[in-house]
Amino acid sequence: MSQTLTLRRPDDMHLHLRDGAMLAAVAPESARDFARAIIMPNLVPPVATGAEAAAYRARILAALPEDAAFEPLMTLYLTEATDPADVAAAAASGLVKAVKLYPAGATTNSHGGVRDLTKVRAVLEKMAEIGLPLCTHGEVTTPEVDIFDREAVFIDTVLDPLRRSLPDLRIVMEHITTEEGVAYAAEAKNLAATITTHHLILNRNHLLVGGIRPHYYCLPVAKREKHRLALRRAVTSGNPRYFLGTDSAPHVDALKEHACGCAGCFTATNTMPLLAHVFEEEGALDRLEAFTSLNGAAFYGLPPNSARLTLVKSAEPTAFPDKITSGAGPVTVFNPGFPVHWRVAS
Ligand code: NCD
Ligand code: ZN
């Protein structure tokens, strides 16, 4: 006896595809289920100009299987040298859909990010004028601030002042992980928030109890259980400000299982079945489509996808691959730690 659920094809509004051998391995994993994705620009060196975004987009398209129907939506990495005119031209051509703010030092390849927001004021003003969203990695990097508090402190000390000083700037709070993030995104104007698959599943005990689980380490780091529950309430609330950004962030196992392991969970392969499991647990399967396929497109001013994706629930648990292989080495697929009976119909 199986159950099915058919949705508009989903969009992943926060995705790391990397470059080279890793790109070749992970691009097909996202293209299998997703129609579009907002592509994060934190390569080495970062994708910082319109020309670099155009070249990266071409490399992504070249890495896709021939029959793939997948559109990469490009972003620019904001630096203190970003030229407002270049951003405006890249947006006007349709190439670039957002600019990403990484506070310098906040996460993987963020050292070229922003130290002083006043230095990027002209770019932000131009973006507010043309309606181009700013995607924010919302964590302060001040050494004194505890890593579990960095999101809440970012909201109070960076995000809220920025919004007050530039109310027309459209902002996406990326991968929110706290009840403070959920509450802040709930009401404000020109604001939305992405939520990842893994933050709906993990709390910090999963990361740390019984041994450290490097494949559950990501940034922002998983928080207390009450925060995970707040995220689950948010995604099933029907509020259109919350939408899926998987933050699927592949690193080879050698760099995850390491004395100083990289941050990132690789969820591209099994996100949709995991989300069906989560939404079913919450009694909210009827709200999954809005979260994965409607709210994000609406925020970015894109039409919803017309193609459909069908999920199937079977009595037998689905066997997801433990790893995918890449030319750079194996990459572990996120394992939720419980059986999942949903799969995407082939
Ligand atoms: C991301 C990565 O590896 O690029 N890592 C992560 O833990 N999420 C960067 C990011 O989005 O913070
Ligand atoms: Zn990310």
Side-chain angles (χ1 to χ4, degrees):
M1 200 188 60
S2 66
Q3 182 186 347
T4 67
L5 179 67
T6 296
L7 315 170
R8 285 182 187 266
R9 244 178 130 69
D11 298 318
D12 182 350
M13 295 312 193
H14 181 133
L15 176 64
H16 298 270
L17 285 180
R18 315 302 192 201
D19 213 344
M22 186 64 91
L23 169 64
V26 301
E29 296 298 300
S30 284
R32 194 179 300 128
D33 295 346
F34 290 91
R36 297 174 291 208
I38 292 278
I39 307 300
M40 289 295 131
N42 61 333
L43 305 184
V44 189
V47 181
T49 65
E52 287 162 358
Y56 184 33
R57 181 172 182 276
R59 297 199 296 281
I60 295 169
L61 294 178
L64 293 172
E66 275 196 358
D67 57 348
F70 178 80
E71 193 187 350
L73 307 171
M74 307 311 291
T75 63
L76 297 180
Y77 185 113
L78 183 61
T79 76
E80 292 179 5
T82 297
D83 174 6
D86 182 61
V87 172
S93 73
L95 170 69
V96 156
K97 300 291 186 237
V99 172
K100 179 73 187 278
L101 167 68
Y102 289 100
T107 188
T108 310
N109 301 332
S110 63
H111 41 273
V114 176
R115 284 186 170 72
D116 177 358
L117 266 181
T118 62
K119 300 236 170 77
V120 295
R121 181 75 190 181
V123 182
L124 300 179
E125 284 174 356
K126 176 56 78 178
M127 290 168 61
E129 180 192 321
I130 64 179
L132 187 69
L134 179 72
C135 299
T136 57
H137 183 109
E139 292 188 286
V140 293
T141 54
T142 331
E144 299 75 47
V145 178
D146 189 277
I147 191 166
F148 292 99
D149 299 332
R150 288 179 171 200
E151 179 171 301
V153 173
F154 180 88
I155 293 169
D156 290 344
T157 64
V158 181
L159 182 59
D160 196 61
L162 173 62
R163 290 191 50 259
R164 284 172 197 278
S165 77
L166 212 46
D168 291 337
L169 181 63
R170 309 184 70 226
I171 297 181
V172 185
M173 300 169 69
E174 295 296 335
H175 42 49
I176 58 170
T177 59
T178 59
E179 60 185 10
E180 290 87 350
V182 167
Y184 192 78
E187 310 166 9
K189 187 168 156 261
N190 286 333
L191 193 63
T194 59
I195 296 180
T196 76
T197 308
H198 51 281
H199 287 112
L200 296 170
I201 292 172
L202 301 177
N203 64 33
R204 64 196 201 180
N205 279 16
H206 296 105
L207 173 67
L208 295 170
V209 171
I212 189 160
R213 314 279 155 141
H215 297 290
Y216 288 168
Y217 174 60
C218 65
L219 288 171
V221 70
K223 307 294 192 300
R224 287 178 182 276
E225 177 67 355
K226 68 171 181 173
H227 297 293
R228 186 184 73 100
L229 297 177
L231 295 171
R232 283 191 171 218
R233 285 194 297 276
V235 300
T236 56
S237 66
N239 185 332
R241 289 163 187 281
Y242 307 110
F243 48 83
L244 176 63
T246 65
D247 196 20
S248 180
H251 294 276
V252 292
D253 285 352
L255 294 178
K256 291 288 294 174
E257 300 165 9
H258 190 275
C260 183
C262 292
C265 296
F266 178 64
T267 55
T269 305
N270 53 1
T271 272
M272 291 307 295
L274 296 183
L275 288 174
H277 180 101
V278 166
F279 276 67
E280 185 178 41
E281 273 185 349
E282 299 298 321
L285 275 176
D286 58 330
R287 296 202 156 155
L288 180 59
E289 183 181 49
F291 178 65
T292 62
S293 317
L294 300 176
N295 299 347
F299 181 86
Y300 279 101
L302 303 167
N305 300 305
S306 50
R308 299 299 201 266
L309 181 91
T310 296
L311 289 150
V312 185
K313 186 184 181 192
S314 309
E316 277 299 299
T318 307
F320 300 114
D322 293 337
K323 297 174 193 294
I324 64 160
T325 51
S326 84
V331 177
T332 292
V333 174
F334 181 77
N335 178 346
F338 48 75
V340 173
H341 292 259
W342 290 94
R343 66 188 153 80
V344 175
S346 50

